[in-house]
Structure formats: C-alpha cells, structure tokens
Amino acid sequence: MSKGFLHITDTAGLTALVERLREADYVTVDTEFLRDNSYWPKLCLVQVAGPNEAAIIDPLAPLIDLSPLFDLMADHNVLKVFHAARQDIEIFLKLSGRIPEPLFDTQVAAMVCGYGDSVSYETLVAKIARAGLDKSSRFTDWSRRPLTDRQLQYAIGDVTFLRKVYDTLYAELEKSGRIDWLDEEMAILMDPATYIIEPDEAYQRIKTRTTNRRFLGVLREIAAWRETEARARDLPRGRLLKDDALLEVAAHPPASIDDMKQSRGVPKGFADGKLGPSLLEAVLRGLNCPEDLLPVAEQVTEAPRGVGPLVELLKVMLKLQCEDHGVAQKLVANTADLEQIAGSDEADVPALHGWRRQIFGDAALALKHGRVALAAEGRRIKLIDLTVR
C-alpha cells in the first residue's frame, strides 16, 4: 500500500485485488495511454477503485498478466463506472475482445442531471466532491518508468474522487426517476460497432462537400487503403497521408507513379517508396469501379424555406425546457434536429422519441402549431398555453 492505494505490478497481486473487488457493487475505472505514434492506443496504466480500496495497475510491468482485470471488466455483477468512457472502452475491447459491462458513464449521467454539456471530470470533482485536482501531470509520458509519487497520486485521483461523483449522480438519478434515461446512451457505448471502423467506411470520416460519385469512389478506396496500412503498421493515419492529401489525390487522381509525384498533397519521396504502388492501385480501383457501385453522397435535408425564425424559436424552447428539467441541451437535440422538426412533425430525430419527447418534443410541436407561445416576463421566458380560453 502506497499513500492510500496499491501499486500492482504482478499477476498474483492483480488476482488478489480482483477477488476483493468482485465483492463490490461497483468499481470506478480509468486508464492512461499514449496514441501519438501509433494506430492503436498503448495502455500504460489502469486505475481502479472499489468503495474501500484503490489501486494502480501497471500493464507494462514484465511479470503481469491482465486476464484477471479483463474478467472483472466482464463480470455482470459488478458495475463499471467511467467518466467519458469511449476511449477507455476502446482499449479494453482491443486488448480483451470484450466491452466492460454493465456500464455507467458519469459524463452522460451529469448531462442528464443538468450539470452541462460534456461536463469535465475536473468540474464534477469541484462541484460534487468539493476538491481540486492537481493538473501538473496531465501531459505525462505514461510509458516512462519509474513513475514518480506525484504522477501516481495524480492518476489515482481519477478513480478515488469518481466514487463520490458516482454516488451523488446515481442518487440524483434515482430521486428524479431518470436512471432509465441513460439506457440509450449506454447501449451506444456498449455496442462494438461504435469502436470498429470498417476500412470501406473510413472515407465517411473525411469532411468533403462534393457529391461527385467518382470522386467519392476514389476517396473510398484510398481511405480504405490508408486504414488498412495504418492498422498493419500500427501507425497514426496521418503519418501515412493526411486527410488533405487524400482529398487532393481523389480530386486529381494520378494515373501513374510519375503523376503521383506531381500531386501537391503527396509528400516528396512517397511515390517512389514501398507504399506508392499500393496507393496507385487503390486509386485505379476507384477509377475503374462500376457506376452502380460508386458511393452516393449522404443527402443533407435542407430546412424548408421560411422556417428559419421557427428554428430560432425552437432553440429558445429547447433552452427553456432543458433548464426547467435540469438536463443538458446537447443530450436532447441539436440544430439539425430542430430544423427537421420545423420541417416535419414525423421527423426521425431523438427529440421526438422517448423521454426526450416528454420534456421537449411535444412542447416543440405545440409551439410549431400555435398551441403554445413564448413570452417574456421580466428576465424570464415562459410558456403560454393558447388553448386555454
């Protein structure tokens, strides 16, 4: 035990820790990792805490097997509590093939409880645990050994204060009857598809305004090429070619290695290297793809003309309803959703389903059809029911 927590560097110690934590109702979890120079995140530390003890697990220790930890993450009898869990879950999925479950994300829970949009861990610790976090080790190279006591103290704070944050948020959710509001968001986090990028779909992550199907066909092939090569070499995508370079190649497809050398986006020497020929093959696949197999640009539904003022009213309504119900606006609807609601009562947006409809969707439709109005009363905005005579 070191300053209130265990420092686990071997399998025996980890196994004993996991056996104790299996008796807990929940464990708080966080990870420290590096990703600057690799495609896959490199796990450097795992911090866990039950109600009565906390530990830092060193996955880089030479005598440790993380299998007991992975078994704990998959134990359905123990709730796993994270803050902003997405990247942590991706790591566990990659290393163990399993997603931690059941799952509770305090960032999402805080949004449901009205603490704001994408609220930070530091903010929750300050508001709920009444404590401040030492940020001096935020940019530590967690792969270097040995770690200092200060670095370890910084790391353990990510799970020890999280216990108080979780206890408080869970109590608030239970009191307000909103625990099931998290189900939809947790289902997304626990879906492996959230973390797995199929190479043929990688082009969809690259921002472009073009609707030219041939351009998109080439972009699809070269983005898939980059994704596959980056994974195989465990390199960041941008280390091979940046997005701007892919867009340049798709816009002006080279027909030969000599043509590729003239492309402004392709680094000098790339075309003559090992990857130049395989990139050219990807370009040619896109150019030769049959018309009916080319991708179609996602259709962006434009709001009907004249609904701009209505959308602005809906924004006010969204803010008003979310403040009244103590929930973050980001969790209920965005501007694109409001534009769709303005255009159609049957818009397939989250705000017109489930609990979101209860707190906002029905009120939005009532405003749209003149059944309610917004009015100022001093500094406050209030709803007026126009159906009451």
Side-chain angles (χ1 to χ4, degrees):
M1 183 76 71
S2 173
K3 296 184 179 181
F5 63 89
L6 292 169
H7 190 186
I8 306 292
T9 59
D10 59 61
T11 306
L14 177 59
T15 300
L17 172 69
V18 167
E19 288 178 357
R20 295 192 299 273
L21 291 178
R22 281 183 182 272
E23 302 300 317
D25 292 330
Y26 72 87
V27 292
T28 55
V29 189
D30 189 45
T31 66
E32 307 297 342
F33 58 91
L34 296 178
R35 201 172 197 166
D36 295 342
N37 298 308
S38 62
Y39 180 92
W40 305 107
K42 180 181 181 181
L43 181 62
C44 300
L45 281 185
V46 181
Q47 305 97 284
V48 295
N52 302 312
E53 68 175 319
I56 289 179
I57 303 161
D58 187 352
L60 302 183
L63 300 177
I64 197 164
D65 176 358
L66 294 180
S67 297
L69 174 66
F70 298 147
D71 290 340
L72 175 65
M73 292 298 103
D75 188 334
H76 290 268
N77 296 315
V78 182
L79 180 69
K80 270 64 71 174
V81 179
F82 293 83
H83 182 83
R86 191 171 294 245
Q87 293 190 85
D88 302 307
I89 293 173
E90 181 187 8
I91 291 172
F92 283 113
L93 177 61
K94 173 64 172 60
L95 294 178
S96 71
R98 295 177 290 184
I99 287 178
E101 59 176 320
L103 185 67
F104 187 101
D105 190 322
T106 55
Q107 186 176 72
V108 178
M111 293 168 71
V112 172
C113 292
Y115 285 84
D117 292 342
S118 302
V119 61
S120 70
Y121 180 61
E122 289 82 2
T123 297
L124 290 180
V125 169
K127 289 185 176 182
I128 294 176
R130 304 296 181 186
L133 295 176
D134 179 4
K135 301 179 182 180
S136 61
S137 297
R138 180 184 296 271
F139 300 109
T140 285
D141 179 353
W142 295 104
S143 68
R144 297 185 65 180
R145 296 294 184 272
L147 294 171
T148 67
D149 286 344
R150 186 168 188 172
Q151 289 170 324
L152 294 173
Q153 286 290 347
Y154 168 87
I156 203 66
D158 285 340
V159 289
T160 52
F161 292 118
L162 190 55
R163 294 181 293 202
K164 175 63 174 176
V165 171
Y166 163 71
D167 287 337
T168 300
L169 291 176
Y170 186 85
E172 290 185 24
L173 291 169
E174 195 170 45
K175 182 178 180 180
S176 63
R178 295 182 179 182
I179 291 178
D180 61 342
W181 287 22
L182 294 182
D183 290 347
E184 182 178 332
E185 301 301 319
M186 293 303 99
I188 294 172
L189 286 176
M190 290 190 292
D191 182 356
T194 300
Y195 310 96
I196 299 172
I197 300 174
E198 298 297 338
D200 285 346
E201 298 174 0
Y203 78 101
Q204 297 174 351
R205 299 164 63 93
I206 302 173
K207 294 181 179 180
T208 177
R209 295 181 179 180
T210 185
T211 59
N212 183 288
R213 295 185 65 191
R214 184 60 61 186
F215 172 97
L216 294 174
V218 175
L219 183 62
R220 178 179 62 188
E221 293 297 332
I222 61 178
W225 165 85
R226 183 180 68 172
E227 198 73 20
T228 301
E229 290 289 346
R231 286 183 186 179
R233 298 166 183 271
D234 195 20
L235 290 173
R237 300 176 186 90
R239 186 73 61 82
L240 295 180
L241 281 180
K242 298 186 182 301
D243 286 359
D244 288 347
L246 294 186
L247 292 170
E248 173 70 18
V249 170
H252 305 285
S256 66
I257 293 295
D258 286 339
D259 287 346
M260 189 182 297
K261 293 178 183 178
Q262 306 306 314
S263 178
R264 290 181 299 172
V266 176
K268 186 176 181 180
F270 182 94
D272 288 323
K274 294 180 179 179
L275 293 175
S278 61
L279 173 58
L280 183 60
E281 289 176 6
V283 171
L284 296 178
R285 284 196 298 271
L287 291 174
N288 295 325
C289 179
E291 288 284 343
D292 59 331
L293 297 180
L294 290 172
V296 178
E298 182 178 346
Q299 297 298 313
V300 179
T301 303
E302 294 187 4
R305 295 185 63 181
V307 302
L310 173 58
V311 172
E312 294 304 314
L313 281 177
L314 290 174
K315 289 180 181 179
V316 177
M317 171 71 82
L318 177 63
K319 183 175 179 62
L320 178 65
Q321 293 296 98
C322 288
E323 286 184 353
D324 284 349
H325 288 84
V327 62
Q329 296 178 55
K330 182 179 179 180
L331 202 59
V332 177
N334 57 33
T335 299
D337 295 336
L338 300 184
E339 290 176 349
Q340 291 193 53
I341 292 172
S344 171
D345 291 359
E346 306 299 325
D348 187 17
V349 295
L352 294 184
H353 298 283
W355 63 266
R356 293 174 175 84
R357 179 160 187 144
Q358 294 176 26
I359 70 168
F360 171 69
D362 286 336
L365 294 177
L367 178 67
K368 175 181 174 180
H369 292 288
R371 296 193 294 272
V372 299
L374 296 170
E377 187 179 69
R379 295 182 179 180
R380 290 178 52 82
I381 300 295
K382 67 175 185 177
L383 283 180
I384 298 176
D385 189 345
L386 299 179
T387 65
V388 178
R389 300 295 181 183

